[in-house]
Amino acid sequence: MNSETELPFDYRIVRSRKRRTASLMIDKGRVEVRVPALADECWIDDWVRSKVDWVLPRLQRQTQALEQRGIDIRQGGRFFVNGRELELQWSRGRQSSVEVDDYRIEVRLSARVRRAESEAVREQLQQWMAQQAEQRLVPLCQALGRELGLKPSAVRIKNYRRKWGQCDTRGVITLNWRILHLDPALQRYILVHELCHLKEMNHSSAFWRLVSAHCPEYRESRRLLTETYPYLIW
Ligand SMILES: [Zn+2]
C-alpha cells in the first residue's frame, strides 16, 4: 500500500536482471535503489519507505558534508588546500598562474582563454593541484617510507574520483592529487595506509595493526575521511 505522505528524498531506480533482492545506496548525496529487473513500482516504493529511518541520517550527513566542504568554482567561491578553506578569486592576465595565501587562492587566466571562465579556472586548478602533488606529496611519501622502513618501487600521482590512493603488487603507490585538499594529518594517514600495503596486500587485522603502529589515530582518520567525499567530485 502506498501511504499518502511524500518521501523526504528522491531516489533513482536501477534495475538488473542478475539481481534477486533489493538494496539501497547513498552516494554523494543521492539515493539509489537497486532491484531485480521486474520489481513492481509499488513494491519498490513501500520497500524504500520501510528504510527511511536508515536513509535519512546518512543522507543528511552527506548533504551537510557537501555544504561544508563542497568545492565551489565561482568568484568568491570556496576551495580547500591542506584542510584550509580559501576564497577563490580569478582575473585575466598575460600569463596563467595560481597563487595561494592564508585566506585566498587567486587564479590568473591567460587573456587568450576563450571558453567559459569557470570551466577554464576549474581545469587550471586541477592541473595546479596535480603539479603541487608531484612536488610535495611524492617526496613526502618517499620520506615517510624511509622513516617507516617501507620503500615503494615508485610513487605516482593520478586523478581518481573514488579513492585516495592505491598500492599495486609491484610496490607502486599511486596517490590521488585530491589528497592535497585534506588536512595534513589525514594526508599522512593515507600515505601510511598505502605504505603499509607494501607489507600487507590486504585489509586484514595484521594490516590494521601495522597501520595503527605508525598512525595510532587511524580510526578517527577513517571516520573523518567519510566526510571529505566532496573533494572527490569537483
Ligand atoms: Zn587499503
Side-chain angles (χ1 to χ4, degrees), residues 29-231:
R30 273 189 288 253
V31 182
E32 198 175 280
V33 190
R34 297 178 177 176
V35 293
L38 300 174
D40 171 74
E41 293 274 339
C42 287
W43 180 85
I44 297 171
D45 195 65
D46 283 346
W47 186 77
V48 174
R49 278 168 198 281
S50 74
K51 305 289 179 196
V52 166
D53 290 345
W54 184 85
V55 172
L56 265 190
R58 286 168 177 79
L59 191 60
Q60 271 158 3
R61 225 177 298 142
Q62 289 199 2
T63 311
Q64 200 184 19
L66 204 55
E67 275 162 16
Q68 287 169 357
R69 295 165 187 272
I71 287 186
D72 187 11
I73 307 295
R74 59 185 171 89
Q75 289 284 13
R78 259 188 324 191
F79 199 79
F80 291 82
V81 177
N82 291 329
R84 192 194 291 264
E85 183 176 334
L86 304 169
E87 189 186 325
L88 171 63
Q89 296 287 353
W90 69 76
S91 54
R92 293 282 181 162
R94 217 179 289 165
Q95 274 189 326
S96 49
S97 65
V98 176
E99 270 175 47
V100 181
D101 65 24
D102 285 352
Y103 308 100
R104 248 189 306 270
I105 182 158
E106 288 202 55
V107 177
R108 190 61 52 88
L109 272 180
S110 154
R112 288 194 302 268
V113 170
R114 291 283 165 85
R115 291 171 297 149
E117 288 193 347
S118 62
E119 274 319 297
V121 167
R122 177 185 302 269
E123 202 172 287
Q124 201 167 313
L125 281 170
Q126 292 189 342
Q127 280 169 9
W128 179 78
M129 287 288 283
Q131 278 163 13
Q132 293 290 305
E134 287 283 354
Q135 286 167 20
R136 289 157 53 189
L137 225 43
V138 171
L140 193 64
C141 187
Q142 281 157 344
L144 197 58
R146 280 193 295 276
E147 190 187 314
L148 309 186
L150 299 163
K151 192 176 165 8
S153 56
V155 181
R156 296 189 183 133
I157 297 296
K158 231 176 168 170
N159 179 26
Y160 293 126
R161 293 191 163 253
R162 293 210 160 254
K163 59 183 171 187
W164 295 106
Q166 72 165 40
C167 177
D168 71 19
T169 47
R170 292 165 301 149
V172 177
I173 289 181
T174 312
L175 301 169
N176 192 344
W177 54 257
R178 296 164 191 271
I179 290 172
L180 281 186
H181 287 309
L182 300 166
D183 194 75
L186 286 183
Q187 295 185 15
R188 185 179 180 279
Y189 160 69
I190 293 169
L191 302 188
V192 167
H193 181 121
E194 298 309 334
L195 286 164
C196 286
H197 277 316
L198 293 169
K199 219 174 207 173
E200 298 284 343
M201 258 301 163
N202 48 51
H203 291 120
S204 62
S205 50
F207 169 77
W208 289 114
R209 266 199 304 281
L210 189 61
V211 171
S212 133
H214 301 304
C215 186
E217 70 290 354
Y218 78 97
R219 280 175 208 276
E220 174 68 357
S221 299
R222 288 182 77 196
R223 193 189 65 73
L224 288 170
L225 273 181
T226 64
E227 293 166 10
T228 58
Y229 77 90
Y231 298 157

